[in-house]
Amino acid sequence: DPVTQLGGPGGAFPPTLWTVILGARNADEKESQANLEKLCRYYWKPVYCYLRRRGFDNDQAKDLTQSFFQEVVLGGQLLRSADPAKGRFRTLLLTALDRYLASEYRKRTAQKRLPRDGLVPLEWAQMAELPAAVQNLTCEDSFHYTWVTELLDTLLAEVEEECVYRGMELHWR
């Protein structure tokens, strides 16, 4: 069972280092960067081991750990929401990790929903310009005007079809 060497030998979560966490939010960029590096070093391996125990293989766990730290820890609001009065940082970190995993799962398994009978052909999708009747209308008025005219065209086509079917073409004309 291959285990990564990244993150050092510790697979357990270290005690919460509030000075490091709060220091990572520091306005001084050098101090903030140093604390961020220390934070990532402390928590990388435990997050990786957690993912392995969740069933991800070595490469998947490494990729997810890297992405999680990049997107959530370094790029997100996680450190801003960390507060010693609210509880342990590792609880916040694991909650964020579980949410990240759920989000990644949804992205990975998402599929386009298509109607059972396939796509409906939209002949008008090839229109190069708007009909003259709607060019000067507001968006809403254009929508309503077009909807009503399409409804009337459809109904008239159905009446014509019914007349032809019943042999009443003269009545239609």
Side-chain angles (χ1 to χ4, degrees), residues 7 14 21 29 32 57 63-64 83 93 100 105 107 110 117 129 135 145 169 171:
I21 294 165
E29 189 157 337
S32 176
D57 68 29
D63 289 344
L64 284 169
D83 183 357
L93 187 72
Y100 176 77
Y105 177 78
K107 286 180 199 173
D117 299 332
E129 54 186 67
Q135 285 183 351
Y145 177 86
E169 294 156 359
H171 291 87

PDB file of all heavy atoms in Angstrom, residues 7 14 21 29 32 57 63-64 83 93 100 105 107 110 117 129 135 145 169 171:
ATOM      1  N   GLY A   7       4.614  15.614   3.244  1.00  0.00           N
ATOM      2  CA  GLY A   7       3.951  15.960   4.491  1.00  0.00           C
ATOM      3  C   GLY A   7       4.592  15.354   5.710  1.00  0.00           C
ATOM      4  O   GLY A   7       4.101  15.543   6.817  1.00  0.00           O
ATOM      5  N   PRO A  14      -2.417  17.276  13.848  1.00  0.00           N
ATOM      6  CA  PRO A  14      -1.671  17.879  14.953  1.00  0.00           C
ATOM      7  C   PRO A  14      -2.607  18.727  15.811  1.00  0.00           C
ATOM      8  O   PRO A  14      -3.713  19.051  15.385  1.00  0.00           O
ATOM      9  CB  PRO A  14      -0.646  18.763  14.237  1.00  0.00           C
ATOM     10  CG  PRO A  14      -1.298  19.112  12.949  1.00  0.00           C
ATOM     11  CD  PRO A  14      -2.134  17.922  12.564  1.00  0.00           C
ATOM     12  N   ILE A  21      -2.396  29.746  12.499  1.00  0.00           N
ATOM     13  CA  ILE A  21      -3.612  30.038  11.736  1.00  0.00           C
ATOM     14  C   ILE A  21      -3.888  31.534  11.717  1.00  0.00           C
ATOM     15  O   ILE A  21      -4.122  32.125  10.661  1.00  0.00           O
ATOM     16  CB  ILE A  21      -4.806  29.259  12.316  1.00  0.00           C
ATOM     17  CG1 ILE A  21      -4.578  27.754  12.115  1.00  0.00           C
ATOM     18  CG2 ILE A  21      -6.115  29.697  11.678  1.00  0.00           C
ATOM     19  CD1 ILE A  21      -5.476  26.876  12.940  1.00  0.00           C
ATOM     20  N   GLU A  29       2.791  40.314   4.505  1.00  0.00           N
ATOM     21  CA  GLU A  29       2.780  39.225   3.531  1.00  0.00           C
ATOM     22  C   GLU A  29       3.844  38.161   3.811  1.00  0.00           C
ATOM     23  O   GLU A  29       3.572  36.970   3.652  1.00  0.00           O
ATOM     24  CB  GLU A  29       2.948  39.766   2.113  1.00  0.00           C
ATOM     25  CG  GLU A  29       2.708  38.683   1.088  1.00  0.00           C
ATOM     26  CD  GLU A  29       2.325  39.228  -0.262  1.00  0.00           C
ATOM     27  OE1 GLU A  29       1.825  40.362  -0.337  1.00  0.00           O
ATOM     28  OE2 GLU A  29       2.543  38.502  -1.235  1.00  0.00           O
ATOM     29  N   SER A  32       2.634  36.149   6.783  1.00  0.00           N
ATOM     30  CA  SER A  32       1.465  35.386   6.356  1.00  0.00           C
ATOM     31  C   SER A  32       1.883  34.184   5.510  1.00  0.00           C
ATOM     32  O   SER A  32       1.406  33.068   5.713  1.00  0.00           O
ATOM     33  CB  SER A  32       0.524  36.289   5.556  1.00  0.00           C
ATOM     34  OG  SER A  32      -0.560  35.554   5.068  1.00  0.00           O
ATOM     35  N   ASP A  57      -7.402   6.139  -3.970  1.00  0.00           N
ATOM     36  CA  ASP A  57      -6.072   5.555  -4.122  1.00  0.00           C
ATOM     37  C   ASP A  57      -5.011   6.637  -3.931  1.00  0.00           C
ATOM     38  O   ASP A  57      -5.327   7.814  -3.756  1.00  0.00           O
ATOM     39  CB  ASP A  57      -5.938   4.825  -5.464  1.00  0.00           C
ATOM     40  CG  ASP A  57      -5.945   5.735  -6.687  1.00  0.00           C
ATOM     41  OD1 ASP A  57      -5.513   6.902  -6.584  1.00  0.00           O
ATOM     42  OD2 ASP A  57      -6.379   5.282  -7.757  1.00  0.00           O
ATOM     43  N   ASP A  63      -3.914  14.159  -5.472  1.00  0.00           N
ATOM     44  CA  ASP A  63      -4.525  15.196  -6.296  1.00  0.00           C
ATOM     45  C   ASP A  63      -5.602  15.955  -5.532  1.00  0.00           C
ATOM     46  O   ASP A  63      -5.663  17.188  -5.589  1.00  0.00           O
ATOM     47  CB  ASP A  63      -5.134  14.592  -7.568  1.00  0.00           C
ATOM     48  CG  ASP A  63      -4.083  14.116  -8.553  1.00  0.00           C
ATOM     49  OD1 ASP A  63      -2.906  14.510  -8.413  1.00  0.00           O
ATOM     50  OD2 ASP A  63      -4.443  13.347  -9.474  1.00  0.00           O
ATOM     51  N   LEU A  64      -6.440  15.216  -4.815  1.00  0.00           N
ATOM     52  CA  LEU A  64      -7.498  15.874  -4.049  1.00  0.00           C
ATOM     53  C   LEU A  64      -6.929  16.736  -2.932  1.00  0.00           C
ATOM     54  O   LEU A  64      -7.420  17.837  -2.672  1.00  0.00           O
ATOM     55  CB  LEU A  64      -8.464  14.838  -3.484  1.00  0.00           C
ATOM     56  CG  LEU A  64      -9.447  14.231  -4.482  1.00  0.00           C
ATOM     57  CD1 LEU A  64     -10.162  13.036  -3.877  1.00  0.00           C
ATOM     58  CD2 LEU A  64     -10.447  15.278  -4.955  1.00  0.00           C
ATOM     59  N   ASP A  83     -11.952  30.391  13.983  1.00  0.00           N
ATOM     60  CA  ASP A  83     -12.080  31.198  15.194  1.00  0.00           C
ATOM     61  C   ASP A  83     -11.915  30.284  16.398  1.00  0.00           C
ATOM     62  O   ASP A  83     -12.671  29.325  16.548  1.00  0.00           O
ATOM     63  CB  ASP A  83     -13.451  31.878  15.209  1.00  0.00           C
ATOM     64  CG  ASP A  83     -13.647  32.787  16.402  1.00  0.00           C
ATOM     65  OD1 ASP A  83     -12.765  32.868  17.276  1.00  0.00           O
ATOM     66  OD2 ASP A  83     -14.712  33.431  16.454  1.00  0.00           O
ATOM     67  N   LEU A  93     -11.628  22.234   9.258  1.00  0.00           N
ATOM     68  CA  LEU A  93     -10.900  21.723   8.101  1.00  0.00           C
ATOM     69  C   LEU A  93     -11.581  20.477   7.533  1.00  0.00           C
ATOM     70  O   LEU A  93     -11.784  20.365   6.321  1.00  0.00           O
ATOM     71  CB  LEU A  93      -9.455  21.401   8.504  1.00  0.00           C
ATOM     72  CG  LEU A  93      -8.509  21.008   7.387  1.00  0.00           C
ATOM     73  CD1 LEU A  93      -8.163  22.221   6.541  1.00  0.00           C
ATOM     74  CD2 LEU A  93      -7.236  20.405   7.957  1.00  0.00           C
ATOM     75  N   TYR A 100     -15.922  19.919   0.138  1.00  0.00           N
ATOM     76  CA  TYR A 100     -15.141  19.975  -1.097  1.00  0.00           C
ATOM     77  C   TYR A 100     -15.286  18.661  -1.871  1.00  0.00           C
ATOM     78  O   TYR A 100     -15.488  18.664  -3.083  1.00  0.00           O
ATOM     79  CB  TYR A 100     -13.669  20.253  -0.774  1.00  0.00           C
ATOM     80  CG  TYR A 100     -12.778  20.234  -1.979  1.00  0.00           C
ATOM     81  CD1 TYR A 100     -12.747  21.313  -2.861  1.00  0.00           C
ATOM     82  CD2 TYR A 100     -11.968  19.138  -2.250  1.00  0.00           C
ATOM     83  CE1 TYR A 100     -11.938  21.294  -3.972  1.00  0.00           C
ATOM     84  CE2 TYR A 100     -11.159  19.120  -3.361  1.00  0.00           C
ATOM     85  CZ  TYR A 100     -11.147  20.199  -4.221  1.00  0.00           C
ATOM     86  OH  TYR A 100     -10.342  20.175  -5.333  1.00  0.00           O
ATOM     87  N   TYR A 105     -17.444  15.575  -6.325  1.00  0.00           N
ATOM     88  CA  TYR A 105     -18.230  14.417  -6.764  1.00  0.00           C
ATOM     89  C   TYR A 105     -19.364  14.877  -7.687  1.00  0.00           C
ATOM     90  O   TYR A 105     -19.598  14.280  -8.737  1.00  0.00           O
ATOM     91  CB  TYR A 105     -18.795  13.668  -5.559  1.00  0.00           C
ATOM     92  CG  TYR A 105     -19.683  12.514  -5.950  1.00  0.00           C
ATOM     93  CD1 TYR A 105     -19.135  11.309  -6.382  1.00  0.00           C
ATOM     94  CD2 TYR A 105     -21.070  12.633  -5.912  1.00  0.00           C
ATOM     95  CE1 TYR A 105     -19.937  10.257  -6.763  1.00  0.00           C
ATOM     96  CE2 TYR A 105     -21.885  11.585  -6.289  1.00  0.00           C
ATOM     97  CZ  TYR A 105     -21.318  10.403  -6.708  1.00  0.00           C
ATOM     98  OH  TYR A 105     -22.119   9.368  -7.094  1.00  0.00           O
ATOM     99  N   LYS A 107     -19.466  17.574  -9.514  1.00  0.00           N
ATOM    100  CA  LYS A 107     -18.877  18.015 -10.782  1.00  0.00           C
ATOM    101  C   LYS A 107     -18.526  16.820 -11.665  1.00  0.00           C
ATOM    102  O   LYS A 107     -18.765  16.826 -12.860  1.00  0.00           O
ATOM    103  CB  LYS A 107     -17.602  18.829 -10.532  1.00  0.00           C
ATOM    104  CG  LYS A 107     -17.824  20.204 -10.002  1.00  0.00           C
ATOM    105  CD  LYS A 107     -16.463  20.871  -9.810  1.00  0.00           C
ATOM    106  CE  LYS A 107     -16.519  22.035  -8.880  1.00  0.00           C
ATOM    107  NZ  LYS A 107     -15.184  22.568  -8.581  1.00  0.00           N
ATOM    108  N   ALA A 110     -21.784  14.852 -12.868  1.00  0.00           N
ATOM    109  CA  ALA A 110     -22.845  15.615 -13.540  1.00  0.00           C
ATOM    110  C   ALA A 110     -22.963  15.159 -14.981  1.00  0.00           C
ATOM    111  O   ALA A 110     -21.978  14.856 -15.643  1.00  0.00           O
ATOM    112  CB  ALA A 110     -22.534  17.106 -13.484  1.00  0.00           C
ATOM    113  N   ASP A 117     -37.294  11.910 -25.476  1.00  0.00           N
ATOM    114  CA  ASP A 117     -37.523  11.779 -26.910  1.00  0.00           C
ATOM    115  C   ASP A 117     -36.459  12.485 -27.739  1.00  0.00           C
ATOM    116  O   ASP A 117     -36.618  12.649 -28.939  1.00  0.00           O
ATOM    117  CB  ASP A 117     -38.903  12.342 -27.266  1.00  0.00           C
ATOM    118  CG  ASP A 117     -40.021  11.581 -26.556  1.00  0.00           C
ATOM    119  OD1 ASP A 117     -39.829  10.385 -26.267  1.00  0.00           O
ATOM    120  OD2 ASP A 117     -41.063  12.199 -26.283  1.00  0.00           O
ATOM    121  N   GLU A 129     -31.196  37.804 -37.827  1.00  0.00           N
ATOM    122  CA  GLU A 129     -31.622  39.048 -37.195  1.00  0.00           C
ATOM    123  C   GLU A 129     -33.048  38.909 -36.700  1.00  0.00           C
ATOM    124  O   GLU A 129     -33.769  37.998 -37.077  1.00  0.00           O
ATOM    125  CB  GLU A 129     -31.483  40.220 -38.153  1.00  0.00           C
ATOM    126  CG  GLU A 129     -32.189  40.022 -39.487  1.00  0.00           C
ATOM    127  CD  GLU A 129     -31.887  41.160 -40.437  1.00  0.00           C
ATOM    128  OE1 GLU A 129     -30.733  41.277 -40.858  1.00  0.00           O
ATOM    129  OE2 GLU A 129     -32.825  41.914 -40.727  1.00  0.00           O
ATOM    130  N   GLN A 135     -38.103  44.569 -33.190  1.00  0.00           N
ATOM    131  CA  GLN A 135     -36.817  45.254 -33.099  1.00  0.00           C
ATOM    132  C   GLN A 135     -36.825  46.451 -32.155  1.00  0.00           C
ATOM    133  O   GLN A 135     -35.817  46.751 -31.538  1.00  0.00           O
ATOM    134  CB  GLN A 135     -36.331  45.681 -34.483  1.00  0.00           C
ATOM    135  CG  GLN A 135     -35.807  44.524 -35.286  1.00  0.00           C
ATOM    136  CD  GLN A 135     -35.255  44.947 -36.626  1.00  0.00           C
ATOM    137  OE1 GLN A 135     -35.402  46.093 -37.036  1.00  0.00           O
ATOM    138  NE2 GLN A 135     -34.626  44.013 -37.310  1.00  0.00           N
ATOM    139  N   TYR A 145     -44.926  39.429 -27.337  1.00  0.00           N
ATOM    140  CA  TYR A 145     -45.379  39.552 -28.722  1.00  0.00           C
ATOM    141  C   TYR A 145     -45.061  38.270 -29.504  1.00  0.00           C
ATOM    142  O   TYR A 145     -45.910  37.725 -30.200  1.00  0.00           O
ATOM    143  CB  TYR A 145     -44.724  40.765 -29.398  1.00  0.00           C
ATOM    144  CG  TYR A 145     -45.087  40.900 -30.855  1.00  0.00           C
ATOM    145  CD1 TYR A 145     -46.238  41.571 -31.242  1.00  0.00           C
ATOM    146  CD2 TYR A 145     -44.283  40.332 -31.843  1.00  0.00           C
ATOM    147  CE1 TYR A 145     -46.583  41.681 -32.578  1.00  0.00           C
ATOM    148  CE2 TYR A 145     -44.628  40.435 -33.178  1.00  0.00           C
ATOM    149  CZ  TYR A 145     -45.776  41.106 -33.539  1.00  0.00           C
ATOM    150  OH  TYR A 145     -46.118  41.198 -34.867  1.00  0.00           O
ATOM    151  N   GLU A 169     -61.544  22.330 -47.261  1.00  0.00           N
ATOM    152  CA  GLU A 169     -60.513  23.271 -47.687  1.00  0.00           C
ATOM    153  C   GLU A 169     -61.102  24.579 -48.161  1.00  0.00           C
ATOM    154  O   GLU A 169     -60.514  25.653 -47.961  1.00  0.00           O
ATOM    155  CB  GLU A 169     -59.663  22.646 -48.801  1.00  0.00           C
ATOM    156  CG  GLU A 169     -58.859  21.458 -48.308  1.00  0.00           C
ATOM    157  CD  GLU A 169     -58.492  20.509 -49.431  1.00  0.00           C
ATOM    158  OE1 GLU A 169     -58.859  20.741 -50.591  1.00  0.00           O
ATOM    159  OE2 GLU A 169     -57.835  19.507 -49.102  1.00  0.00           O
ATOM    160  N   HIS A 171     -63.730  26.023 -46.957  1.00  0.00           N
ATOM    161  CA  HIS A 171     -64.043  26.810 -45.777  1.00  0.00           C
ATOM    162  C   HIS A 171     -62.774  27.487 -45.213  1.00  0.00           C
ATOM    163  O   HIS A 171     -62.838  28.628 -44.743  1.00  0.00           O
ATOM    164  CB  HIS A 171     -64.669  25.923 -44.661  1.00  0.00           C
ATOM    165  CG  HIS A 171     -66.029  25.445 -44.999  1.00  0.00           C
ATOM    166  ND1 HIS A 171     -66.250  24.291 -45.727  1.00  0.00           N
ATOM    167  CD2 HIS A 171     -67.249  25.984 -44.719  1.00  0.00           C
ATOM    168  CE1 HIS A 171     -67.545  24.108 -45.873  1.00  0.00           C
ATOM    169  NE2 HIS A 171     -68.177  25.128 -45.258  1.00  0.00           N
TER     170      HIS A 171
END
